[in-house]
Amino acid sequence: MRRLILMTLLLAAPLAANAQTWPGWPGPPPPGYDPGSAIADQHRIEMDRLRHQAAQREALAQQQRLQTQLTIQRLEASRQPTPPLPPQTAYAPRTLEQERQAREAQDARRDQMVRGVTEIDAWLDRRPN
C-alpha cells in the first residue's frame, strides 16, 4: 500500500510541475504581461482583419458593378439603330371602280364557299329511310 502511495506521489510531482509552467515560455511570464489585454489584442487584430476583408469585398463588388454598367453601355452603343418607320400616309378613299371590284370579289368568294356547302345541305335535307 505504501508503495502504491509513493508511486502515485512520484508520478504526480512531475505533472504538477508541468501544469505550473507558463505556456509558450520556459519560465514565468514577462513583467507587465496581462492575460486580459493579450486576449483583447487578439480580438482587436481579428476584428481589424475582418474589417479589411469586408472592405476588400465591397471594393470588388463596386468594381464589378462599374464593369457591368460599362458592358451594358458598350452593348447598347454597338446595337444597330432601328430604321425609321415610313411616314404615315393620309387616308385615300377608294374610287367607285375599286369599290365595285371589291364587292364583286367578295361575292365570288361567298359563291365559292356556298358551292362547297350545298352537298352537305342536300345530304342533311334528304328523306329519312
Side-chain angles (χ1 to χ4, degrees), residues 43-100:
H43 286 236
R44 190 187 76 255
I45 291 169
E46 182 64 17
M47 289 300 293
D48 289 342
R49 186 187 69 79
L50 291 174
R51 280 190 193 102
H52 180 68
Q53 189 179 35
Q56 285 178 333
R57 287 182 181 163
E58 180 60 33
L60 178 64
Q62 180 64 24
Q63 180 185 9
Q64 289 176 343
R65 279 192 291 271
L66 289 173
Q67 287 177 349
T68 302
Q69 289 175 356
L70 287 174
T71 303
I72 290 171
Q73 288 175 356
R74 198 175 315 120
L75 287 173
E76 288 175 351
S78 67
R79 287 185 182 157
Q80 294 293 329
T82 57
L85 295 175
Q88 296 288 335
T89 57
Y91 173 74
R94 294 195 280 191
T95 63
L96 293 176
E97 180 63 26
Q98 290 172 336
E99 287 290 331
R100 185 184 61 75

